[in-house]
Amino acid sequence: MWFDHTNDKRKFLKIGHEGLYVYIALTKHRLHRVNENQVFTFQVSIDTLRKETGYTAKKLIELLKVLKTNKVIKMEKPSRWDRLHDEDGNVNIHQMMIITATDVPHTNWDKTEKKDIPVDGENFFISIDLDMLELYKAKGLKERYIPLYCLMTKLSNGIERKSFMRIEKMATTLGYSKDTIHKYIKKLNAEYLLYTHKSPNGKGGYKFEHKLCSSVRFQDEFLRAHKESIDKNIRRWKMNDYLLEDESDETEVGGYSEGEKETEDVIPFIQENDEQMLVVH
């Protein structure tokens, strides 16, 4: 499973936040559902992925290779990487690629509920609202926030829809520093996308509960329920309250450093997006 903190070989640590971001960009160009096991097939060009992510063509190919190496995707067309380049060695950014997602859970389709049901506990998955991730982008929240959103979505599947994982464990699970998690939690509160509640733990200290706004559809309801409390959080944090700790560097495991963006004008490839949910298990 991608975000299972008990699995030292969890997929996210191998593909990094940039690999995850490219995978999400792929899901926006789903062709159709291939079979009962929720296999996805995507048709997309490097040019389209470049516009979605802001990454260079070279970097995108590197990240697609990472996804393929870690058995997240299979390249159907072209079948060889060199065929993404012309005879001069330049990336053919407009060439259509056919890519299949291979690391997917086995599910049964519930016709009544109109949703996928895992066949067993080993095939647990989380559904992510792509519209919410677009909102993150519109608010200037970079792709490094997306793994935290995914993890908190996974942790919020209980009856109370709250995440109780300790900051240290979140940091370890994602390969981020504790300070990075602290800052991201504060920022998500400030953007009214997360409500963090502080309460006594019965041992002379405090515990924290995180209530995530997981979908754009529930944003108004979320604000009605938590805006006043979030505003109190923000006022406390300006007084150097409980989420301010060390000033360690932002570190992580996996992924690539961001390269320079290409600036030449190219003809965009436009395709309808009728898939609003990303399945990550």
Side-chain angles (χ1 to χ4, degrees), residues 26-90:
L26 288 174
T27 67
K28 297 178 182 180
H29 301 277
R30 179 187 176 193
L31 287 178
H32 56 83
R33 179 176 176 143
V34 177
N35 59 34
E36 294 181 353
N37 290 329
Q38 195 69 18
V39 176
F40 290 91
T41 297
F42 319 115
Q43 177 177 298
V44 68
S45 69
I46 292 294
D47 181 45
T48 303
L49 291 177
R50 189 176 59 173
K51 289 180 170 62
E52 290 277 0
T53 64
Y55 296 162
T56 65
K58 179 181 178 181
K59 181 173 180 176
L60 283 165
I61 292 176
E62 290 177 346
L63 290 169
L64 288 172
K65 287 180 179 179
V66 169
L67 293 177
K68 182 178 183 295
T69 298
N70 288 286
K71 300 181 180 180
V72 174
I73 63 170
K74 178 182 178 182
M75 295 293 296
E76 305 287 355
K77 180 182 178 182
S79 58
R80 289 169 38 185
W81 297 108
D82 60 339
R83 292 176 179 170
L84 283 173
H85 297 78
D86 61 24
E87 58 185 13
D88 295 321
N90 299 314

Side-chain angles (χ1 to χ4, degrees), residues 33-190:
R33 179 176 176 143
V34 177
N35 59 34
E36 294 181 353
N37 290 329
Q38 195 69 18
V39 176
F40 290 91
T41 297
F42 319 115
Q43 177 177 298
V44 68
S45 69
I46 292 294
D47 181 45
T48 303
L49 291 177
R50 189 176 59 173
K51 289 180 170 62
E52 290 277 0
T53 64
Y55 296 162
T56 65
K58 179 181 178 181
K59 181 173 180 176
L60 283 165
I61 292 176
E62 290 177 346
L63 290 169
L64 288 172
K65 287 180 179 179
V66 169
L67 293 177
K68 182 178 183 295
T69 298
N70 288 286
K71 300 181 180 180
V72 174
I73 63 170
K74 178 182 178 182
M75 295 293 296
E76 305 287 355
K77 180 182 178 182
S79 58
R80 289 169 38 185
W81 297 108
D82 60 339
R83 292 176 179 170
L84 283 173
H85 297 78
D86 61 24
E87 58 185 13
D88 295 321
N90 299 314
V91 178
N92 185 349
I93 62 174
H94 299 297
Q95 180 178 346
M96 285 298 105
M97 300 179 293
I98 304 296
I99 300 172
T100 298
T102 55
D103 186 11
V104 292
H106 293 280
T107 64
N108 293 319
W109 180 252
D110 187 317
K111 295 181 179 179
T112 303
E113 296 291 332
K114 295 184 178 180
K115 65 180 182 180
D116 286 280
I117 306 297
V119 297
D120 55 37
E122 295 296 320
N123 286 277
F124 170 82
F125 67 91
I126 55 176
S127 294
I128 297 171
D129 189 336
L130 294 181
D131 288 335
M132 178 58 73
L133 300 188
E134 287 298 317
L135 180 60
Y136 273 47
K137 183 188 295 187
K139 288 180 174 289
L141 301 176
K142 295 183 178 181
E143 62 268 32
R144 282 178 59 87
Y145 282 82
I146 295 176
L148 182 59
Y149 168 85
C150 293
L151 178 60
M152 286 193 170
T153 299
K154 178 180 185 293
L155 297 172
S156 301
N157 281 318
I159 296 176
E160 296 184 18
R161 310 296 294 178
K162 297 176 182 178
S163 167
F164 297 95
M165 183 178 280
R166 292 174 58 85
I167 296 295
E168 293 84 355
K169 188 170 288 187
M170 288 185 189
T172 300
T173 300
L174 299 180
Y176 288 5
S177 70
K178 289 192 299 181
D179 186 56
T180 295
I181 300 296
H182 286 140
K183 288 188 289 186
Y184 287 9
I185 286 174
K186 289 169 63 178
K187 180 64 173 176
L188 290 173
N189 273 260

Side-chain angles (χ1 to χ4, degrees), residues 177-224:
S177 70
K178 289 192 299 181
D179 186 56
T180 295
I181 300 296
H182 286 140
K183 288 188 289 186
Y184 287 9
I185 286 174
K186 289 169 63 178
K187 180 64 173 176
L188 290 173
N189 273 260
E191 296 291 347
Y192 300 103
L193 298 172
L194 181 73
Y195 166 49
T196 298
H197 176 64
K198 174 186 178 183
S199 62
N201 62 7
K203 301 177 182 179
Y206 295 92
K207 63 180 179 180
F208 303 96
E209 302 170 354
H210 308 286
K211 177 73 173 180
L212 182 71
C213 181
S214 59
S215 173
V216 172
R217 291 177 298 164
F218 307 132
Q219 191 174 17
D220 290 342
E221 178 183 338
F222 181 85
L223 286 174
R224 286 194 296 271

